[in-house]
Amino acid sequence: MSEFLSPKDLPAALAARAAHPDYIPVAGGTDYMVASKDRLPPPGIINLFGLGALTGVTDLDGGGVRIGACTTYATLLGDARIANTFPLLRDACREVGASQIQARGTLGGNIATSSPVGDSLPPLLALDAVICVASSAGERRVAYEDFLVGYRKIDLAADELIVAIELPAPHVGAMQHWRKVGTRRAQSISKVMMAAVAHLDDGRIADIRIALGAVADRTVRARATEDALRGSAPSEEAAKRAREALRGEITPIDDLRSTAEYRLGVAENLVRRFVLSL
Amino acid sequence: MNIEVTINGESRSIETEGHRRLLDVLREELGLVGTKEGCGEGECGACTVLMDGEPVNSCLVPVGQIQGTQLTTIEGMAGSDGLHIIQDTLVRYGGAQCGICTPGVALCAKWAVEKEPGASKERLRELLAGNICRCTGYQAIVDAVVAAQNSSESSHE
Ligand SMILES: Cc1cc2nc3c(=O)[nH]c(=O)nc-3n(C[C@H](O)[C@H](O)[C@H](O)COP(=O)(O)OP(=O)(O)OC[C@H]3O[C@@H](n4cnc5c(N)ncnc54)[C@H](O)[C@@H]3O)c2cc1C
Ligand code: FES
Ligand code: FES
């Protein structure tokens, strides 16, 4: 017998998680149901979809937002705050799946699956997201970059759930930019994603955050590239320095050399175009 | 587990395991075989049903999640006075050929037209992008949905 639990609130969900570390939490099911196809039934499921405490977008002091882990793409796409303040995330969500996937797929599910080609991940990284995680023992907050620990691996214990994603308000006048090259079907060869946020001060790049998807085992910040750009005017010359820095910090995977070279080339072009657009 | 749900306006009580696919429970337990299986992986939309008004792939919904919801399957789309306008235009414009995609297309189109009554052809294509059709080349489907859109606009006036 495979048990199906629908906890009524967050404490009940966390208690279920603590009591049954082998049960699978399921939100929209759009990753889980594909992965579990033609497998034996799971020992149990902890259903999270629609749980009030995990659903919806709320305002934070200072202009940021808190997004419940089980908030769907459809809800995010219908939210004016996301559209106005975080167009980067809106643009990425728009491209996820089709209507049916957007109606069920959740942000927390995308983060937990942590596919190197997950669409929401580069925007969350570039927007300095904080992941709020809870267990029966309490809540902790982790910078998203630290939450990503390996190929499809996140810093989540067997008794924890992702509760929410917090996005601080971007700097006034910051430019947000989302680009995805290649199709999902061809993802193993050609997909490269870039999310970038930057603002200028006196004609120079005061701050810049660049997150890349599908160029490494996990979504990564291009920190050396950012350092090479900070303080410069957005010129061809700065773009050239950024390109060299990017070559230095993204390591091609040996047995995928040609693919890695190709991806690096695409990533360089994406960064260059973003810099020149500033 | 016991599941209480409203399907096509009728209250149902189902005894089954919650991890099963909604698609299988509809077809095998409830005899609602109008819902079709194509890919079984969320890509084709043949298994689309409306859950609390939203289009979902029933191959991706563990049936325990339908507890307390309102479902519409293709069997519930026609009214007592005949076919739903979208079913009617799909037939008239040749938007249904082999018919495998049609239940999903019809339900998703109903949702799309109600959600965005003024949607352009391009936007309709986007909203229906999760419903794959190997027969019609989509033009006939889009024409049918536009015709349904126009006639429901005129019936509101
Ligand atoms: C046809 C199709 C197209 C798709 N297209 C895209 C696309 O274009 N871009 C893209 O990025 N993805 C895509 N996906 C993948 C998927 O839809 C997304 O990753 C989605 O965000 C997953 O969310 P979910 O709620 O459905 O996850 P689920 O399937 O419910 O869960 C996924 C995993 O996360 C865990 N989990 C879920 N919520 C939590 C939580 N709160 N705390 C801890 N663990 C949790 C589950 O245990 C499970 O392991 C597609 C999938 C399909 C089937
Ligand atoms: S059978 Fe469900 S989407 Fe194809
Ligand atoms: S009518 Fe045959 S697949 Fe659409």
Side-chain angles (χ1 to χ4, degrees), chain A residues 7-274:
Chain A
K8 291 283 161 281
D9 53 24
L10 182 57
L14 295 172
R17 189 85 162 120
H20 307 285
D22 56 333
Y23 285 19
I24 319 248
V26 173
T30 60
D31 276 321
Y32 169 71
M33 292 297 278
V34 176
S36 67
K37 202 185 161 208
D38 304 324
R39 300 255 182 98
L40 289 174
I45 286 177
I46 303 172
N47 175 32
L48 304 177
F49 195 87
L51 204 68
L54 301 184
T55 309
V57 183
T58 48
D59 291 318
L60 289 176
D61 289 346
V65 293
R66 179 175 165 105
I67 303 171
C70 295
T71 306
T72 62
Y73 297 104
T75 300
L76 290 171
L77 287 169
D79 193 286
R81 282 163 298 194
I82 301 296
N84 295 332
T85 316
F86 306 99
L88 174 53
L89 181 61
R90 189 265 325 263
D91 291 349
C93 290
R94 221 186 231 163
E95 293 177 33
V96 172
S99 308
Q100 290 89 335
I101 298 295
Q102 294 181 352
R104 299 298 287 181
T106 66
L107 202 55
N110 207 225
I111 292 170
T113 295
S114 207
S115 157
V117 293
D119 276 298
S120 76
L121 314 185
L124 295 177
L125 200 50
L127 290 166
D128 256 347
V130 172
I131 311 296
C132 305
V133 165
S135 73
S136 292
E139 211 181 295
R140 66 190 174 94
R141 300 158 51 82
V142 194
Y144 186 35
E145 194 174 15
D146 300 329
F147 197 64
L148 292 159
V149 292
Y151 176 68
R152 289 178 178 266
K153 279 216 178 77
I154 51 171
D155 171 24
L156 190 78
D159 65 343
E160 289 180 318
L161 291 172
I162 302 171
V163 174
I165 298 93
E166 292 187 357
L167 299 177
H171 192 276
V172 181
M175 249 100 42
Q176 302 182 21
H177 188 82
W178 167 245
R179 279 291 173 277
K180 175 158 102 173
V181 174
T183 65
R184 182 168 184 269
R185 294 216 175 256
Q187 61 180 236
S188 57
I189 335 175
S190 62
K191 190 159 152 178
V192 176
M193 298 174 288
M194 183 188 76
V197 180
H199 71 271
L200 299 184
D201 191 8
D202 229 5
R204 294 183 181 277
I205 299 171
D207 197 16
I208 182 161
R209 293 193 298 274
I210 300 171
L212 296 166
V215 299
D217 67 342
R218 69 196 87 168
T219 308
V220 289
R221 276 280 291 277
R223 291 209 174 254
T225 309
E226 297 169 3
D227 290 343
L229 288 165
R230 214 171 280 113
S232 323
S235 60
E236 275 288 359
E237 201 251 308
K240 191 156 166 279
R241 259 185 291 122
R243 179 195 165 116
E244 260 133 47
L246 193 64
R247 287 231 151 229
E249 71 179 323
I250 291 170
T251 336
I253 302 162
D254 268 353
D255 50 348
L256 286 174
R257 185 159 310 218
S258 69
T259 299
E261 262 309 298
Y262 170 79
R263 283 179 169 161
L264 197 50
V266 173
E268 284 171 9
N269 287 335
L270 293 177
V271 170
R272 174 173 172 271
R273 253 178 276 155
F274 176 59

Side-chain angles (χ1 to χ4, degrees), chain B residues 18-109:
Chain B
H19 67 87
R20 294 181 68 199
R21 304 187 303 172
L22 170 58
L23 171 65
D24 296 330
V25 173
L26 289 173
R27 292 181 57 89
E28 293 163 16
E29 309 291 324
L30 302 173
L32 295 169
V33 294
T35 305
K36 303 300 179 202
E37 172 158 15
C39 63
E41 299 192 347
E43 300 275 356
C44 76
C47 66
T48 302
V49 301
L50 301 182
M51 190 162 160
D52 290 333
E54 302 283 316
V56 305
N57 292 319
S58 61
C59 71
L60 297 184
V61 176
V63 71
Q65 289 191 333
I66 69 171
Q67 185 74 266
T69 64
Q70 304 258 355
L71 295 186
T72 305
T73 69
I74 193 64
E75 287 86 352
M77 200 166 160
S80 51
D81 51 347
L83 291 181
H84 186 278
I85 175 73
I86 283 171
Q87 293 174 303
D88 180 60
T89 56
L90 279 170
V91 172
R92 284 196 287 120
Y93 285 75
Q97 290 182 26
C98 82
I100 287 285
C101 72
T102 310
V105 167
L107 287 164
C108 196

